[in-house]
Amino acid sequence: MSIEFKTITPQDISFFTTLLGPSGAFSDAENLDVYGWDYMHELFSKPEIVLKPSNTEEVSAILKYCNEHEIAVTARGAGTSLSSAALPLHHGVVLSLERFNKIINIDTENLQATVEPGVINEHFANEVLKFGLFYPPDPASKGSSFLGGNIAHSSGGPKAVKYGTTKEYVLNLEVVLATGDIIWTGANTLKNSTGYNLTQLMVGSEGTLGIITKIVFKLIPKPKYNLLMLAAFGSAEKACETVSAIFREGITPSALEFMERDAIDLTLKHNDINIAVPEWVAAHLLIEVDGNYPETLYKDCDVINAVLEKHGCGDVLFAESDFEKEQLWRLRRKVAESVRLESAYKEEDTVVPRASLPQLLRGVKETGKKYGFRSVCYGHAGDGNLHVNILKGDMDEENWNHTIKAGIREIFELCKRLGGTISGEHGIGFTQKGYTDLVFTPTHKHIFREIKKAFDPKEILNPGKIFD
Amino acid sequence: MSIEFKTITPQDISFFTTLLGPSGAFSDAENLDVYGWDYMHELFSKPEIVLKPSNTEEVSAILKYCNEHEIAVTARGAGTSLSSAALPLHHGVVLSLERFNKIINIDTENLQATVEPGVINEHFANEVLKFGLFYPPDPASKGSSFLGGNIAHSSGGPKAVKYGTTKEYVLNLEVVLATGDIIWTGANTLKNSTGYNLTQLMVGSEGTLGIITKIVFKLIPKPKYNLLMLAAFGSAEKACETVSAIFREGITPSALEFMERDAIDLTLKHNDINIAVPEWVAAHLLIEVDGNYPETLYKDCDVINAVLEKHGCGDVLFAESDFEKEQLWRLRRKVAESVRLESAYKEEDTVVPRASLPQLLRGVKETGKKYGFRSVCYGHAGDGNLHVNILKGDMDEENWNHTIKAGIREIFELCKRLGGTISGEHGIGFTQKGYTDLVFTPTHKHIFREIKKAFDPKEILNPGKIFD
């Protein structure tokens, strides 16, 4: 389907400026450029106008107007998407949620919080921590990404392995539909069996169904202690095998991250991190356990150590201080940025059942050999979620833009065969749309389209994303 | 909207009998009666034919035929719904899932299981336990209800407070749509950010969107130990207040159940349970903690004990043996059945944010006084989910069938005001439909209807349920 959207006219600009004031609407070329890029910096698609509403009523008025006038609207959080979800492919309006930056309420009686979608993830987590509360979802972008964007992509992060992804913490959403109608999707309760689950339908819908304007999150008590260790393996596949073995011993770590040698080397190269990695190391697992009683955490570590030893782990570095913990976490968190500093790259967000990780890793490397690309693999191994970074290096443009797509497709085909899928936590956006035929049948697409129309009859919201 | 469905003809019967064999399709009056009732035994609505397919292809052929011929189809599990969701209001076909009773695979590597929807909850939990694995959702009906029905209602149970409801364990579903099309809703992975979340849309949809034919569940390691205590309070409201205070101390119990005096007395009256309850007791909290290390569970209990004392708990009975634990759990589990033995009743599945429980309980009692009904309250207090059983006793039919509905409405209005909703784990079905105007706006209903049509264009599946 090819939709024709209306080009923004001076009358439209006048309407928006009257509604939002001059600081809430701008269309000068230079400032628009910023909103034509996202974090991936691969695609550029410029909006015709950027709007910065401050409250639900303004969002409603904008959408009502755009719906009547058939103007495309793309919601934008902090622009940290790895799937180009925030890019205005059809130009029109970029609706920035940057002014929705208030924590409305932290309810310490019910362990809930009500926030606006433009609050930065880490800021929110720090604020609730002041009350001894824990908001676990911690995507790599947590220092800059907005909570609304996290919901739109069903974001994960290292803590997801024990605590679940963003979706597990969303109780209720205030959403503005394309028509301007405002609804709450659910209730502020831990359980709800009242009608279709619109809350979870919004989670992961990447701004295609409505604009989230308020969020009610569930919080949990913050565990008091944690222990962290870095386990070195001579074989990356052995490291992957170890992952499912740990769970089989009855332990659920609060983080279980994998980094292959290349990821570690790039990170050490581009950062000031003081960790010596011997020649023989092919991969690391970073393993954290948490809880309220330190003595049992040590026991958990004993169990984990036994598993590590049995699976050929060569060395375990146990973080002895908060500083050492922070060093190890920096090693893991800086991988993505370091890859970026090294080369242009494509990041694939593969996900499979946890025990299939060794097969996935082997397949990725074989595909790389076949198509002549270097891949750097790391990620949330405890969830079976492996980030495969394919480096451009000195590859020519033809290969980079065309040939290796067949290789990426082979990797996703493998994910599918292993019971997995093509995105664990980054979303489809535009970047992965070319591969969705592997996982969406015509029936899926029909259902998606009809759902989309139920919320957004003229399909003005984030057109061109997820599916056609 | 009033839909006209076709009456079953001899040709239809012949088609179904050819498809399923004579044992798979029956339409004799006596046997049909059984399928015209559900557990509530309040409403009777007889199907014209009952079909018992054995595999996905047969379900697909049935739905394709019924869709073409505009025959209503109501899926039925074990018929244990408390919202009349399995009653064939428009007659037509009851599609019984009773032959879908196989556990297809327990994957001890990935901690997953693939099962058919007609497997009984408790049977499944016991089978995975043989591998040290835990399937936490444990509705009161677990001894008879089917897993497919649990999913259709987003069922909970005592363990939900720590481990979440059914929805948290559903990774992927094979679903037959009304057209006969067969889809998988997601992938067998712990994380998934690939398109709209059709899996969670199916959960809680009460058979109105499709027929679930296979389920992939997530499992977790079974905690090795648990401790159980029964805390007696002289004031029911004080008991409710204590609930949120326990969480605020950083403890997440694996069960936190509330029973008011009437619930306890009725249970002791109708069951052989040897627990002495002194005169002064107005309510009990049943509190369980679990984990892998007994020593820390005792510490958790110390923390809980301090909270109990601070909130006016008069006595704590600590279960010293498995037998004593079983006695205490029987006291809780037998409440619903005991109320049923005492009188006709209506069960309202109220749910509010946890800290609002005292207000909800007070409101229920005030409403009871105003409308002259006796209520017995108990339930999953840790989730803010209070089952309000309204007893008929010697109330006249006019009051029972009409007048007290205004009282029930007032209770639900209170739930709404407190941030809650009208069902936490039982669903809407037909029983609660008359109150949904409190929580569904016309916009919600429009979205529901359009979603319904995306899956079921002729609206043949479980017509008359959840919304019109």
Side-chain angles (χ1 to χ4, degrees), chain B residues 264-330:
Chain B
I264 302 161
D265 284 344
L266 286 182
T267 309
L268 294 177
K269 175 179 168 187
H270 292 287
N271 295 276
D272 179 25
I273 298 173
N274 187 19
I275 293 170
V277 181
E279 278 289 319
W280 58 266
V281 175
H284 276 152
L285 291 180
L286 184 65
I287 310 168
E288 188 194 75
V289 290
D290 71 0
N292 286 332
Y293 302 104
E295 61 273 29
T296 64
L297 298 186
Y298 285 107
K299 288 185 185 176
D300 283 349
C301 287
D302 287 345
V303 175
I304 292 170
N305 262 321
V307 177
L308 292 173
E309 206 169 303
K310 200 173 149 193
H311 285 81
C313 170
D315 185 48
V316 177
L317 175 65
F318 199 88
E320 301 283 354
S321 64
D322 285 348
F323 174 76
E324 283 186 21
K325 284 180 187 170
E326 189 42 40
Q327 286 277 101
L328 293 185
W329 271 118
R330 273 189 73 214

Side-chain angles (χ1 to χ4, degrees), chain A residues 336-402:
Chain A
E337 209 175 291
S338 306
V339 171
R340 194 183 167 91
L341 289 168
E342 185 69 15
S343 163
Y345 71 106
K346 295 184 199 288
E347 178 158 349
E348 309 307 333
D349 180 32
T350 64
V351 62
V352 293
R354 186 192 286 147
S356 298
L357 268 180
Q359 281 163 275
L360 175 60
L361 185 68
R362 195 159 55 236
V364 167
K365 295 302 171 186
E366 282 166 6
T367 305
K369 266 187 208 150
K370 181 171 158 191
Y371 287 87
F373 62 73
R374 175 182 172 202
S375 65
V376 175
C377 297
Y378 63 96
H380 316 301
D383 290 317
N385 186 199
L386 192 73
H387 297 320
V388 178
N389 283 195
I390 298 173
L391 273 59
K392 184 166 186 291
D394 51 11
M395 192 185 295
D396 64 44
E397 294 299 320
E398 172 62 21
N399 265 337
W400 181 243
N401 291 320
H402 301 288

Side-chain angles (χ1 to χ4, degrees), chain A residues 108-110 153 184 188 191 193-194 196 208 248 293 295-296 299-300 354-355 385 419 423 425 427 444, chain B residues 108-110 153 184 188 191 193-194 196 208 248 293 295-296 299-300 354-355 385 419 423 425 427 444 450:
Chain A
T108 57
E109 295 287 304
N110 285 302
H153 291 78
W184 281 94
N188 301 353
K191 294 158 88 173
S193 187
T194 310
Y196 299 154
T208 64
R248 290 201 302 276
Y293 302 104
E295 61 273 28
T296 62
K299 288 186 185 175
D300 282 349
R354 186 192 286 147
N385 186 199
S423 178
E425 57 176 20
H444 287 107
Chain B
T108 57
E109 295 287 306
N110 285 303
H153 292 79
W184 280 94
N188 301 353
K191 293 158 86 172
S193 186
T194 311
Y196 298 155
T208 64
R248 290 201 303 276
Y293 302 104
E295 61 273 29
T296 64
K299 288 185 185 176
D300 283 349
R354 187 192 284 148
N385 185 198
S423 177
E425 56 175 21
H444 286 107
E450 295 302 308

Side-chain angles (χ1 to χ4, degrees), chain A residues 316-358:
Chain A
V316 177
L317 175 65
F318 199 90
E320 301 283 353
S321 64
D322 285 348
F323 175 77
E324 282 186 24
K325 284 179 188 170
E326 190 42 39
Q327 284 279 100
L328 293 185
W329 271 119
R330 273 190 73 215
L331 178 65
R332 167 62 188 86
R333 286 213 190 92
K334 291 286 181 185
V335 176
E337 209 175 291
S338 306
V339 171
R340 194 183 167 91
L341 289 168
E342 185 69 15
S343 163
Y345 71 106
K346 295 184 199 288
E347 178 158 349
E348 309 307 333
D349 180 32
T350 64
V351 62
V352 293
R354 186 192 286 147
S356 298
L357 268 180

